[in-house]
């Protein structure tokens, strides 16, 4: 075999090898992109160490009651990054809603390690300065509009973040919520969460009037469970002639029925963190629902003991140095 034939053969082999690996990579990327995760996480007071003159963040200062030093802040950022990276299995985390973030600065620190995520955040009217937000993976999602929607009620409610965008090739509306807590007692504070449900229903109705076949994902820490009146008032919304797709489905209801939860009060598990989906996500048009999960690997439990609760940052004023007092939740979608 002469030298020219050897050279040609070697070039052909190299070309075949490159083509094979490129084709394999393309197939792998195509497979990965056919699945997507949409997640939500109450991150338990993700504050920076700077004093905001417009909010009451004094506890979360180095000189404050909680001694919120830069070292503690950096550990908190690292912990949330770890959770986010774990949720991003096979690079499928498309949308990541969060509650209890102080400002855009903490979110910019959070995504420094991963430039594929962009931030949607607005400062809320909460006097503590804790907000909701949505991070999105630019490979999956393109935002079109976003805004904070407030309640017309006299009862103070945190605003709902409303984001409209394109997930894969389908238009989707995402509503990120953080409803009033039960700190005053469940019954004493219930009227506040019922008002929050009314706001969410008003937003769903407004979106549905504009587009009856719309796709909506309502996510958040609702401080109520799937079978409580506030949540069931949304999932029992009846369709009308004008809006045949009005039904909302709560795939986390089965989790509550099985005794699972995302946070723990004394010995009781409570499923406060959920996602409600319009029925269009369940049909065979556009992307489809696959599963709903509570993300609770052993390392997110206190002392890695699955009989304990989430590994918290604080218990009262005592610093534990954990992740959050809630577990994340997510849904898996496919196209």
């Amino acid at each position: 075999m002469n030298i020219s034939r050897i050279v040609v053969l070697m070039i052909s082999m190299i070309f075949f090898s490159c083509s094979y690996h490129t084709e394999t990579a393309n197939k792998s990327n195509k497979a990965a992109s056919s699945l997507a995760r949409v997640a939500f996480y109450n991150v338990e007071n993700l504050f920076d160490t700077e004093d905001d003159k417009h909010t009451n963040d004094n506890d979360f200062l180095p000189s404050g009651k909680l001694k919120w030093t830069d070292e503690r802040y950096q550990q908190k950022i690292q912990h949330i990054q770890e959770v986010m990276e774990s949720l991003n299995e096979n690079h499928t985390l498309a949308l990541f809603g969060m509650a209890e973030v102080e400002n855009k600065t903490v979110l910019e620190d959070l995504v420094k390690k991963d430039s594929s995520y962009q931030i949607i955040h607005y400062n809320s009217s909460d006097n503590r300065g804790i907000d909701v937000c949505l991070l999105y993976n630019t490979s999956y999602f393109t935002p079109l509009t976003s805004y904070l929607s407030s309640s017309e009620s006299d009862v103070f409610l945190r605003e709902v973040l409303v984001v409209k965008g394109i997930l894969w090739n389908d238009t989707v509306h995402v509503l990120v919520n953080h409803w009033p807590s039960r700190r005053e007692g469940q019954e004493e504070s219930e009227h506040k969460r019922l008002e929050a449900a009314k706001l969410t229903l008003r937003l769903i109705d407004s979106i549905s009037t504009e587009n009856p076949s719309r796709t909506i994902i309502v996510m958040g820490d609702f401080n109520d469970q799937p079978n409580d009146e506030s949540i069931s008032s949304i999932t029992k919304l009846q369709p009308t002639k004008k809006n045949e797709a009005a039904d909302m489905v709560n795939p986390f209801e089965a989790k509550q029925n099985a005794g699972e939860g995302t946070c723990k009060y004394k010995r009781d598990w409570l499923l406060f963190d959920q996602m409600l989906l319009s029925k269009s996500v369940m049909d065979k048009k556009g992307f489809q629902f696959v599963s709903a999960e509570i993300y609770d690997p052993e390392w997110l439990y206190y002392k890695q003991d699955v009989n304990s609760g989430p590994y918290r940052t604080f218990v009262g004023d005592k610093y534990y140095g954990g992740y959050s007092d809630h577990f994340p939740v997510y849904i898996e979608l496919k196209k």
Side-chain angles (χ1 to χ4, degrees), residues 13-31:
M13 290 176 66
I14 292 170
F15 177 79
F16 173 81
S17 175
C18 292
S19 299
Y20 172 81
H21 288 297
T22 300
E23 183 180 354
T24 302
N26 287 339
K27 286 182 178 178
S28 175
N29 291 336
K30 185 177 180 181

Side-chain angles (χ1 to χ4, degrees), residues 305-323:
D305 176 6
V306 295
N307 294 313
S308 67
Y311 185 13
R312 304 171 59 150
T313 305
F314 283 94
V315 177
D317 296 344
K318 186 176 180 180
Y319 181 67
Y320 276 50
Y323 295 78

Side-chain angles (χ1 to χ4, degrees), residues 56 67 73 126 161 170 179 193 197 201 237 280 293 314 321 328:
N56 181 16
K67 298 180 175 58
Y73 170 62
D126 185 271
L161 174 61
D170 297 306
W179 288 6
R193 290 183 296 281
L201 281 167
L237 181 65
S280 58
E293 304 294 342
F314 283 94

Side-chain angles (χ1 to χ4, degrees), residues 257-286:
N257 294 338
E260 299 181 48
T262 57
C263 54
K264 201 169 188 180
Y265 178 69
K266 296 182 179 178
R267 295 184 177 182
D268 297 326
W269 280 105
L270 301 168
L271 211 164
F272 286 170
D273 306 271
Q274 306 155 56
M275 293 190 199
L276 316 180
L277 313 174
S278 55
K279 284 188 72 175
S280 58
V281 182
M282 305 294 187
D283 66 22
K284 295 183 179 180
K285 297 177 181 178

